[in-house]
Amino acid sequence: MKGMDILLKEDRVFPPPEPFRRAANIQDPGIYEAAARDRLAFWESFARQLHWFRPWSQVLDWKVPDARWFVGGETNLSFNCLDRHLGSARRTKAAILWEGEPGEERTLTYTQLHREVCRFANGLKELGLRKGDRVTLYMPMVPELAIAMLACARIGAVHSVVFGGFSAEALRDRINDSQSKLLVTADGSWRRGTVVPLKKSADEALEGTPGVEKVVVFRRIGPSTSSGQGVPMKPGRDLWWHDLVARQSDRCEAEPLDSETMLYLLYTSGTTGKPKGIVHTTGGTMTGCYATTKWIFDIKEEDIYWCTADIGWVTGHSYVVYGPLLNGATVLMYEGAPDHPAKDRFWEIIEKYRVNIFYTAPTAIRTFMKWGDDHPGKHDLSSLRLLGSVGEPINPEAWIWYHRVIGGARCPVVDTWWQTETGHIMISPLPGLTDLKPGSATRAFPGIEADVVDDQGKSAEAGYLVIRSPWPGMMRGIYGDPERYKKQYWERFPGLYFAGDGCRKDAQGYFWLLGRVDDVLKVSGHRLSTMEIESALVDHPSVAESAVIGKPHDIKENSIVAFVTLKGSVQAAAGLPDELKAHVVKKIGSLARPDEIIFTAELPKTRSGKIMRRLLRDIAEGKALGDTTTLADASVVQALKEKYGEPE
Ligand code: WTA
């Protein structure tokens, strides 16, 4: 497995710095054993710290693969993120500090955020939204995205956030699969000084979404800027956010909801061409996000906390919105790119707001490393006390750089492993307790039973990462497809949750994640499916067949290489690769643009017709070819190798 050799050699250990350890939220190493002895009591102790309108009668009801947590309990996530804080000094505390890419600043206190959420929740009701209805949010990184999520949660509507980088077609598929009645979007978003035309994409998507009745448009850009020409509004369908909320009361009681009420859908890429709507429910998501934020990010009352993830991904759901607000934290939110107007924008923000906790992705860290130490060097980063990493394996070199240059060798680094499906962090250090090893996500969070198994499902030193027992924030299914849920996650190793990641466990029981073992690709921390990109390519009139693979990349973990066979009469004209790349961008979004297109007369297949991706990977990486004996027609590979893949 890739990366394994380097990881095996990594033996540096970083114990928690003494001042950090002494002040940490969790200092008792006995917690691991206590939680393992009684997992349910462990999770229950966190649930009890939150508000329930009605207590649960049973902590867990579990019959593989269906879990119900806090059975019979009634709560409301929006209430716990907002109302619960209003009776204390937190009511005047900043909940959200926002900075737009052009530099505007906004602060919303808990009281103000509560008011805005109530207004929008009333607006949703005016538009006819009821408990259980789905709402798609296609928004920039503005407070209104969090407000819309919290408003949905308040009335029991289900939000489905679609990342703003997805194309109109991808948005359309997600709206239709979720049968959303309402779309909330914006006139645009700032990114590297230009406007991302969200409403334009939304309009295109809406040409094929019969279920959508209304569209609420938040004015982010406005008609007066040079790039924002104003957006067309369709009479009877489109209405402005500001008009809708202006006429609403700022009081809206949070609805008591059964713990298993669907909270959100989040579409993610799997091993087929069709993205899956991951289902999460109320009580479990709430408890899991609350607990992990409190212990892993060691949130303190006075902290300024910044997670750079876009809310369009799960990290933004759990660790920009729900986890920190449940903890009454001050969350910093930034709209734009890290290199606008210059490559020190993040460090400028950290200095300006005195950020204490900073959570980002390895791709970003490797990019900053490449940009050089001068950029962070220009700024005072001494406010930082804890760093986090998520989304991909972090290589020890990047870890060490992050620790030294950004953290001044004083901040613990929490490398957190989890997935859209798990809902919250599963494997991570506890920063006041855990001795860190660069490149390892260290240990399972207390109450989480992670393990590594071999092909037969037996506990092993290296193999596949599995989770042995249910946890509160786990997915409850794939929207509309219970069979696929069972098959993909629970049947590979019967009764165990199959994560799809390769993993190694060292002598101390630390986990070393080794990347995906299926057809899911991580590119710059974004999750894509090779099949989805293949379907996008095959959708082009010139393409007969395609196979997409990830080729290891120094910065973004993988680059996308597409092998393509053309239809009989088509010639590979000079402009065709660019045309095919543009076609993928149109079908999915620029995040899926192939880096390389390789034309081939045929794809290497086994005698049973399966594409041999391993061979394609070898060719793309210019490696000597492995075993080709199972190949149906060896001359195919020979031809490809001669054309593209001779080892250098
Ligand atoms: C990968 C992102 C190594 C992994 C929260 C997983 C990681 C996939 C780590 C889920 C980490 C996430 N170390 N790999 N700390 N965190 N991954 O659904 O392959 O976008 O299966 O959720 O990201 O990606 P997703």
mmCIF file of all heavy atoms in Angstrom, residues 314-315 390-393 415-420 501 513 516 522 527, ligand 1:
data_model
loop_
_atom_site.group_PDB
_atom_site.id
_atom_site.type_symbol
_atom_site.label_atom_id
_atom_site.label_comp_id
_atom_site.label_asym_id
_atom_site.label_seq_id
_atom_site.Cartn_x
_atom_site.Cartn_y
_atom_site.Cartn_z
ATOM 1 N N VAL A 314 -18.660 17.598 4.800
ATOM 2 C CA VAL A 314 -19.099 17.184 6.134
ATOM 3 C C VAL A 314 -18.309 17.895 7.238
ATOM 4 O O VAL A 314 -18.841 18.195 8.297
ATOM 5 C CB VAL A 314 -19.039 15.647 6.296
ATOM 6 C CG1 VAL A 314 -17.622 15.148 6.454
ATOM 7 C CG2 VAL A 314 -19.937 15.194 7.428
ATOM 8 N N THR A 315 -17.034 18.175 6.973
ATOM 9 C CA THR A 315 -16.234 18.844 8.001
ATOM 10 C C THR A 315 -16.858 20.183 8.381
ATOM 11 O O THR A 315 -16.875 20.569 9.549
ATOM 12 C CB THR A 315 -14.783 19.036 7.520
ATOM 13 O OG1 THR A 315 -14.267 17.756 7.146
ATOM 14 C CG2 THR A 315 -13.903 19.631 8.594
ATOM 15 N N VAL A 390 -7.351 17.189 8.708
ATOM 16 C CA VAL A 390 -8.428 16.266 8.336
ATOM 17 C C VAL A 390 -8.547 16.103 6.833
ATOM 18 O O VAL A 390 -8.231 17.009 6.076
ATOM 19 C CB VAL A 390 -9.793 16.766 8.857
ATOM 20 C CG1 VAL A 390 -10.169 18.118 8.274
ATOM 21 C CG2 VAL A 390 -10.917 15.755 8.559
ATOM 22 N N GLY A 391 -9.018 14.948 6.418
ATOM 23 C CA GLY A 391 -9.434 14.764 5.031
ATOM 24 C C GLY A 391 -8.586 13.819 4.221
ATOM 25 O O GLY A 391 -9.060 13.228 3.262
ATOM 26 N N GLU A 392 -7.324 13.691 4.587
ATOM 27 C CA GLU A 392 -6.408 12.806 3.870
ATOM 28 C C GLU A 392 -5.317 12.414 4.862
ATOM 29 O O GLU A 392 -5.132 13.092 5.866
ATOM 30 C CB GLU A 392 -5.680 13.516 2.727
ATOM 31 C CG GLU A 392 -6.468 14.446 1.874
ATOM 32 C CD GLU A 392 -5.592 15.616 1.438
ATOM 33 O OE1 GLU A 392 -4.561 15.376 0.787
ATOM 34 O OE2 GLU A 392 -5.919 16.758 1.760
ATOM 35 N N PRO A 393 -4.573 11.381 4.506
ATOM 36 C CA PRO A 393 -3.408 11.084 5.343
ATOM 37 C C PRO A 393 -2.433 12.270 5.275
ATOM 38 O O PRO A 393 -2.257 12.860 4.213
ATOM 39 C CB PRO A 393 -2.790 9.859 4.665
ATOM 40 C CG PRO A 393 -3.859 9.285 3.780
ATOM 41 C CD PRO A 393 -4.719 10.439 3.385
ATOM 42 N N ASP A 415 -4.512 15.000 14.324
ATOM 43 C CA ASP A 415 -4.800 14.446 12.993
ATOM 44 C C ASP A 415 -6.053 13.601 13.170
ATOM 45 O O ASP A 415 -6.029 12.569 13.833
ATOM 46 C CB ASP A 415 -3.602 13.605 12.539
ATOM 47 C CG ASP A 415 -3.868 12.841 11.251
ATOM 48 O OD1 ASP A 415 -4.938 13.033 10.630
ATOM 49 O OD2 ASP A 415 -2.999 12.024 10.861
ATOM 50 N N THR A 416 -7.152 14.056 12.572
ATOM 51 C CA THR A 416 -8.460 13.462 12.862
ATOM 52 C C THR A 416 -8.965 12.653 11.678
ATOM 53 O O THR A 416 -9.128 13.179 10.583
ATOM 54 C CB THR A 416 -9.478 14.578 13.165
ATOM 55 O OG1 THR A 416 -9.624 15.412 12.006
ATOM 56 C CG2 THR A 416 -9.031 15.434 14.336
ATOM 57 N N TRP A 417 -9.225 11.376 11.900
ATOM 58 C CA TRP A 417 -9.786 10.534 10.831
ATOM 59 C C TRP A 417 -11.282 10.364 11.022
ATOM 60 O O TRP A 417 -11.746 10.021 12.112
ATOM 61 C CB TRP A 417 -9.137 9.143 10.794
ATOM 62 C CG TRP A 417 -9.771 8.300 9.714
ATOM 63 C CD1 TRP A 417 -9.359 8.218 8.420
ATOM 64 C CD2 TRP A 417 -10.959 7.491 9.819
ATOM 65 N NE1 TRP A 417 -10.225 7.411 7.707
ATOM 66 C CE2 TRP A 417 -11.213 6.951 8.537
ATOM 67 C CE3 TRP A 417 -11.834 7.190 10.861
ATOM 68 C CZ2 TRP A 417 -12.295 6.109 8.273
ATOM 69 C CZ3 TRP A 417 -12.925 6.351 10.595
ATOM 70 C CH2 TRP A 417 -13.137 5.815 9.311
ATOM 71 N N TRP A 418 -12.007 10.566 9.947
ATOM 72 C CA TRP A 418 -13.452 10.287 9.950
ATOM 73 C C TRP A 418 -13.973 10.452 8.543
ATOM 74 O O TRP A 418 -13.186 10.627 7.613
ATOM 75 C CB TRP A 418 -14.194 11.178 10.944
ATOM 76 C CG TRP A 418 -14.095 12.666 10.728
ATOM 77 C CD1 TRP A 418 -12.961 13.421 10.801
ATOM 78 C CD2 TRP A 418 -15.159 13.568 10.425
ATOM 79 N NE1 TRP A 418 -13.266 14.739 10.564
ATOM 80 C CE2 TRP A 418 -14.601 14.857 10.336
ATOM 81 C CE3 TRP A 418 -16.544 13.410 10.236
ATOM 82 C CZ2 TRP A 418 -15.380 15.985 10.045
ATOM 83 C CZ3 TRP A 418 -17.299 14.528 9.961
ATOM 84 C CH2 TRP A 418 -16.714 15.801 9.871
ATOM 85 N N GLN A 419 -15.284 10.343 8.348
ATOM 86 C CA GLN A 419 -15.893 10.357 7.012
ATOM 87 C C GLN A 419 -17.273 11.008 7.054
ATOM 88 O O GLN A 419 -17.873 11.112 8.121
ATOM 89 C CB GLN A 419 -16.116 8.918 6.527
ATOM 90 C CG GLN A 419 -14.946 8.007 6.636
ATOM 91 C CD GLN A 419 -15.297 6.586 6.239
ATOM 92 O OE1 GLN A 419 -16.141 5.945 6.859
ATOM 93 N NE2 GLN A 419 -14.651 6.097 5.196
ATOM 94 N N THR A 420 -17.781 11.341 5.864
ATOM 95 C CA THR A 420 -19.154 11.822 5.759
ATOM 96 C C THR A 420 -20.088 10.835 6.461
ATOM 97 O O THR A 420 -21.015 11.220 7.172
ATOM 98 C CB THR A 420 -19.561 11.936 4.273
ATOM 99 O OG1 THR A 420 -18.590 12.755 3.608
ATOM 100 C CG2 THR A 420 -20.935 12.548 4.116
ATOM 101 N N ASP A 501 -11.016 2.313 3.882
ATOM 102 C CA ASP A 501 -9.646 2.814 3.999
ATOM 103 C C ASP A 501 -8.685 1.681 4.364
ATOM 104 O O ASP A 501 -9.025 0.811 5.172
ATOM 105 C CB ASP A 501 -9.549 3.870 5.110
ATOM 106 C CG ASP A 501 -9.979 5.239 4.638
ATOM 107 O OD1 ASP A 501 -10.846 5.301 3.753
ATOM 108 O OD2 ASP A 501 -9.452 6.248 5.141
ATOM 109 N N LEU A 513 -3.385 5.613 8.784
ATOM 110 C CA LEU A 513 -4.281 5.504 7.631
ATOM 111 C C LEU A 513 -3.485 5.543 6.339
ATOM 112 O O LEU A 513 -2.552 6.328 6.206
ATOM 113 C CB LEU A 513 -5.290 6.657 7.648
ATOM 114 C CG LEU A 513 -6.551 6.490 8.515
ATOM 115 C CD1 LEU A 513 -7.243 5.178 8.187
ATOM 116 C CD2 LEU A 513 -6.256 6.582 9.988
ATOM 117 N N ARG A 516 -7.575 5.278 0.447
ATOM 118 C CA ARG A 516 -8.742 4.478 0.093
ATOM 119 C C ARG A 516 -8.324 3.160 -0.565
ATOM 120 O O ARG A 516 -7.331 3.094 -1.279
ATOM 121 C CB ARG A 516 -9.634 5.250 -0.883
ATOM 122 C CG ARG A 516 -10.162 6.565 -0.357
ATOM 123 C CD ARG A 516 -11.206 6.431 0.690
ATOM 124 N NE ARG A 516 -12.303 5.560 0.321
ATOM 125 C CZ ARG A 516 -13.456 5.517 1.014
ATOM 126 N NH1 ARG A 516 -13.653 6.295 2.070
ATOM 127 N NH2 ARG A 516 -14.404 4.693 0.654
ATOM 128 N N LYS A 522 -9.425 10.724 -3.373
ATOM 129 C CA LYS A 522 -9.317 11.987 -2.674
ATOM 130 C C LYS A 522 -8.400 12.893 -3.487
ATOM 131 O O LYS A 522 -7.241 12.562 -3.729
ATOM 132 C CB LYS A 522 -8.742 11.752 -1.278
ATOM 133 C CG LYS A 522 -9.791 11.287 -0.279
ATOM 134 C CD LYS A 522 -10.729 12.423 -0.044
ATOM 135 C CE LYS A 522 -11.779 12.290 0.976
ATOM 136 N NZ LYS A 522 -11.790 13.290 2.007
ATOM 137 N N ARG A 527 -13.710 14.646 -2.136
ATOM 138 C CA ARG A 527 -13.999 13.236 -2.362
ATOM 139 C C ARG A 527 -14.697 13.053 -3.690
ATOM 140 O O ARG A 527 -15.717 13.669 -3.956
ATOM 141 C CB ARG A 527 -14.878 12.757 -1.211
ATOM 142 C CG ARG A 527 -15.234 11.321 -1.291
ATOM 143 C CD ARG A 527 -15.755 10.889 0.058
ATOM 144 N NE ARG A 527 -16.487 9.657 -0.067
ATOM 145 C CZ ARG A 527 -17.051 9.032 0.947
ATOM 146 N NH1 ARG A 527 -16.981 9.555 2.155
ATOM 147 N NH2 ARG A 527 -17.703 7.916 0.759
HETATM 148 C C1 WTA B 1 -9.965 10.248 4.214
HETATM 149 C C2 WTA B 1 -13.852 13.858 5.394
HETATM 150 C C3 WTA B 1 -6.267 9.850 6.591
HETATM 151 C C4 WTA B 1 -10.280 8.782 4.323
HETATM 152 C C5 WTA B 1 -13.940 14.103 6.929
HETATM 153 C C6 WTA B 1 -11.781 8.759 4.502
HETATM 154 C C7 WTA B 1 -8.372 10.633 6.116
HETATM 155 C C8 WTA B 1 -12.209 9.895 3.632
HETATM 156 C C9 WTA B 1 -8.361 11.428 7.279
HETATM 157 C C10 WTA B 1 -13.540 10.477 3.995
HETATM 158 C C11 WTA B 1 -7.179 11.412 8.098
HETATM 159 C C12 WTA B 1 -10.267 11.680 6.269
HETATM 160 N N1 WTA B 1 -6.180 10.610 7.708
HETATM 161 N N2 WTA B 1 -7.335 9.850 5.787
HETATM 162 N N3 WTA B 1 -7.055 12.157 9.187
HETATM 163 N N4 WTA B 1 -9.554 12.065 7.345
HETATM 164 N N5 WTA B 1 -9.565 10.820 5.509
HETATM 165 O O1 WTA B 1 -16.270 11.717 3.489
HETATM 166 O O2 WTA B 1 -9.901 8.158 3.108
HETATM 167 O O3 WTA B 1 -14.943 13.679 2.580
HETATM 168 O O4 WTA B 1 -12.369 7.538 4.115
HETATM 169 O O5 WTA B 1 -14.890 13.027 5.002
HETATM 170 O O6 WTA B 1 -11.169 10.866 3.775
HETATM 171 O O7 WTA B 1 -13.804 11.622 3.221
HETATM 172 P P1 WTA B 1 -15.046 12.547 3.507
#
